[in-house]
Amino acid sequence: MAEYDKDKQAKEYYTDIPVNTHGFFLKGAHSLDWGMKNRLSRIFRPETGKTVMFAIDHGYFQGPTTGLERPDVNIVPLMKHADAIMLTRGILRTTVPPSLTKAVVMRCSGGPSILKELSDEELAVDIEDAIRMNVACITLQVFIGGEYETRSIHNMTKLIDMGLRYGIPTMAVTAVGKDMVRDAKYFRLATRICAELGAQIVKTYYVPEDFETVVASCPVPIVMAGGKKLPEIEALTMSYNAIQEGAAGVDMGRNIFQSDNPEEMMLAVNKIVHEGYNPNEAYEYFNTLVAAK
């Protein structure tokens, strides 16, 4: 895939000009219904316009991966520090206390295991079940450039239509096709396709070169995917850079629950996202909490 106007002059993304939100604190959401705005306000803090999302949905294709063997023991206690939790309906029903008031972002796709072609997914949740569980958002992978790209996009648009019917926003998660390069050009393409087809939130990976153009060219909020486990200072730096370059939040999974000190790491990420700490300040805060244990 390519950007077809490559022969024209350099593009202008106006990264120094904030997007006009027309009175609502999230870009691209001014024309949405009240119920959908209310749900978005549960995911993103209105006072900061940002979110710390906690992703624990890896088991839907990886099984009991490292750190998620017993979510009732080592995951549930961390949820209170997140703004939203991203998970499957199975873990929500079996493991999460109904007294938890955090926003729920529910995985609604499923298909092959990690050993297969992951883009070969189908929708795996009925919208009525999402409503029964009072979710704030529904989500799925979108494989731009994958073998089953068209099916993946159709899954997304079906989910978006179901969400619009009942006032539930959809978060599209960009998944990199096997033959695609993980660079800003690819993510500009992938995130824009998701937004153009109706997703209210897009979750995507951080790239160190020109990430601000990915955010600027996507007309809905971008949430940065945490990705693979990194040393704490590197994960904090990546989070800081993404927020500084326009992301509306981070969705951390492995960089939280695979840390030797997951609660302290979650709190440090909150400091970056909601309080403007730089990486060194957040890492010092992290180490102070660890030393005090």
Side-chain angles (χ1 to χ4, degrees):
M1 297 182 184
E3 292 176 325
Y4 295 105
D5 52 357
K6 61 182 179 180
D7 295 328
K8 294 183 179 181
Q9 293 181 349
K11 297 181 182 180
E12 177 56 80
Y13 292 99
Y14 301 100
T15 58
D16 58 331
I17 301 176
V19 173
N20 189 340
T21 61
H22 299 280
F24 189 65
F25 69 95
L26 288 176
K27 72 174 180 177
H30 59 279
S31 63
L32 298 176
D33 293 335
W34 187 94
M36 194 171 284
K37 288 180 180 177
N38 179 262
R39 287 183 171 91
L40 288 169
S41 298
R42 289 157 52 191
I43 299 168
F44 299 89
R45 292 190 197 178
E47 60 268 28
T48 65
K50 305 289 192 297
T51 187
V52 173
M53 201 176 288
F54 187 27
I56 58 164
D57 61 326
H58 306 67
Y60 96 96
F61 71 102
Q62 291 182 332
T65 189
T66 302
L68 292 178
E69 298 90 346
R70 284 289 303 275
D72 58 317
V73 174
N74 58 0
I75 296 298
V76 169
L78 302 175
M79 292 179 177
K80 62 186 177 184
H81 301 303
D83 298 304
I85 54 173
M86 180 179 171
L87 75 176
T88 62
R89 62 175 169 179
I91 293 300
L92 182 62
R93 275 204 169 94
T94 62
T95 307
V96 179
S99 56
L100 186 80
T101 58
K102 300 297 182 178
V104 171
V105 179
M106 194 167 73
R107 162 73 61 180
C108 294
S109 59
S113 73
I114 194 172
L115 301 177
K116 305 292 184 180
E117 172 52 59
L118 296 181
S119 68
D120 186 15
E121 285 196 338
E122 299 279 0
L123 290 181
V125 172
D126 188 279
I127 191 64
E128 291 184 358
D129 206 25
I131 295 168
R132 272 191 290 272
M133 288 184 283
N134 196 32
V135 304
C137 187
I138 45 184
T139 187
L140 80 168
Q141 299 280 113
V142 183
F143 293 85
I144 305 300
E147 181 178 351
Y148 297 93
E149 178 180 1
T150 298
R151 179 190 300 174
S152 181
I153 288 176
H154 284 176
N155 288 340
M156 179 186 70
T157 55
K158 289 176 185 176
L159 194 64
I160 290 167
D161 286 341
M162 290 189 290
L164 286 169
R165 195 172 300 131
Y166 297 103
I168 302 175
T170 298
M171 181 172 77
V173 182
T174 64
V176 181
K178 289 181 178 179
D179 298 325
M180 303 301 293
V181 178
R182 284 194 180 193
D183 59 13
K185 182 178 180 180
Y186 170 80
F187 288 118
R188 286 196 299 266
L189 172 68
T191 58
R192 185 62 172 261
I193 286 174
C194 293
E196 293 263 359
L197 292 175
Q200 288 82 29
I201 310 169
V202 178
K203 172 182 168 181
T204 197
Y205 292 99
Y206 179 78
V207 286
E209 297 294 331
D210 295 328
F211 183 73
E212 67 273 16
T213 67
V214 177
V215 177
S217 61
C218 183
V220 300
I222 291 281
V223 173
M224 185 206 77
K228 66 181 182 179
K229 176 66 174 71
L230 300 170
E232 279 76 8
I233 184 60
E234 292 183 22
L236 293 170
T237 300
M238 180 174 67
S239 299
Y240 175 80
N241 289 340
I243 294 297
Q244 292 300 305
E245 292 168 30
V250 301
D251 189 9
M252 287 286 190
R254 286 167 287 182
N255 280 300
I256 300 293
F257 61 74
Q258 289 182 353
S259 171
D260 290 336
N261 299 281
E263 183 172 22
E264 290 76 14
M265 185 59 179
M266 176 82 85
L267 291 169
V269 171
N270 269 280
K271 290 293 184 181
I272 283 177
V273 173
H274 292 303
E275 299 186 35
Y277 277 35
N278 66 40
N280 290 332
E281 291 171 331
Y283 191 51
E284 182 180 356
Y285 175 76
F286 168 80
N287 286 323
T288 299
L289 293 176
V290 172
K293 289 174 72 172

